[in-house]
Amino acid sequence: MYNIILFGPPGSGKGTQAGLLVDKHNFLHISTGDMFREELSRNTPLGKEARSYMDAGHLVPDEVTIAMLRKRVDQHPDVPGIIFDGFPRTDPQAAELNDLMRERDSQINALILLDVEVDTIVTRILGRGATSGRADDLKEDVIRTRYENFVNYTSPVYDFYDELGLAHRVDGSLTPEEVSREIDAIIGRESKDSL
Ligand code: AMP
C-alpha cells in the first residue's frame, strides 16, 4: 500500500489534488471534512455534534474524529493506497494514524504540505463560498479562525513526519496543474517499487 497525507491549511487545494490522485492511482480518498458534511446533510447524531464546531471554524474533538476515521479505514482493507485529506489535524490524531497503519502492516509513505499564505486562503475560500454551500466558507472571521487552528494545532503534525523524513513541501499558490506535477514527482521519487 502507498499512503499519502495531503496536508495544508483550509483552501490550500487538498481536495482538488486528492481528486487528481484518485483518477491516476485508484487510491481511496478519505476526507474527514467531507465525511462530517455528509453526516450534517443526513442530520445524524454525529452530524449534529459536529455542526457547532464546524460552523465556528473549530476542530471537532479528537475522539469523535478518530472513531469516524478508523471506521472508514476498516471498511476498506484491500485498497492500493489511501489519501488522507484533512486528517491528521492534531498530534493525537497523528499518533492514532500511526497505530492504525501498523495494525494493517502498512505505513504512511509521504506527507505533502500545500503551502499557501493566509490572505490567498481568505480570498480563495470566500470565492469558493459563493458556490460551495458551506457555512464555514462565508465569513472572513471564521476562515481566519480555521487558519489559526491550522497554525496552532495542525502544523506541529508536519514536524512529526519531518522527523521521520517523510514530509515534503509544495508551493500551493501555483496552478493546480503545476502543484499536481510537483506531487507526481514526489510520489515518483518516494514510491519506487511501492506502487
Ligand atoms: P475541511 O473540509 O477539511 O476544511 O473540514 C471542515 C471542518 O470539519 C473543519 O473546520 C473541522 O471543523 C472539521 N474537521 C475536518 N477534519 C477534521 C479533523 N481531522 N479533526 C477535527 N476536525 C475536523
Side-chain angles (χ1 to χ4, degrees), residues 165-186:
L166 297 174
H168 304 266
R169 179 194 167 278
V170 171
D171 180 355
S173 65
L174 300 171
T175 65
E177 294 74 22
E178 288 168 326
V179 172
S180 172
R181 270 198 293 278
E182 299 231 355
I183 291 176
D184 286 346
I186 292 167

Side-chain angles (χ1 to χ4, degrees), residues 37-111:
R37 281 185 287 280
E38 202 184 303
E39 300 284 338
L40 283 187
S41 70
R42 290 193 285 122
N43 211 18
T44 63
L46 176 54
K48 285 182 196 154
E49 185 175 1
R51 179 186 293 278
S52 58
Y53 297 101
M54 295 173 75
D55 285 355
H58 294 305
L59 295 179
V60 178
D62 281 338
E63 315 80 73
V64 177
T65 308
I66 286 169
M68 180 180 75
L69 183 278
R70 188 174 258 282
K71 192 165 151 206
R72 176 62 59 92
V73 171
D74 286 345
Q75 283 165 346
H76 297 276
D78 295 319
V79 289
I82 303 178
I83 303 164
F84 294 95
D85 161 3
F87 186 98
R89 256 174 154 107
T90 61
D91 281 334
Q93 292 182 16
E96 179 72 18
L97 185 58
N98 224 22
D99 292 348
L100 191 51
M101 290 291 105
R102 205 173 309 128
E103 284 165 30
R104 289 169 69 109
D105 289 325
S106 192
Q107 71 290 309
I108 294 297
N109 297 86
L111 172 145

Side-chain angles (χ1 to χ4, degrees), residues 114-135:
L114 307 181
D115 203 6
V116 183
E117 52 99 26
V118 62
D119 290 333
T120 307
I121 279 164
V122 172
T123 311
R124 273 192 192 177
I125 297 185
L126 286 173
R128 178 173 84 182
T131 53
S132 72
R134 287 178 55 168

Side-chain angles (χ1 to χ4, degrees), residues 2 25 109 184-195:
Y2 192 83
H25 300 292
N109 297 86
D184 286 346
I186 292 167
I187 294 178
R189 275 199 308 274
E190 290 290 311
S191 66
K192 298 192 181 78
D193 44 21
S194 322
L195 275 179

Side-chain angles (χ1 to χ4, degrees), residues 6-22:
L6 282 181
F7 195 74
S12 56
K14 301 186 294 294
T16 303
Q17 295 302 324
L20 295 171
L21 285 169
V22 168

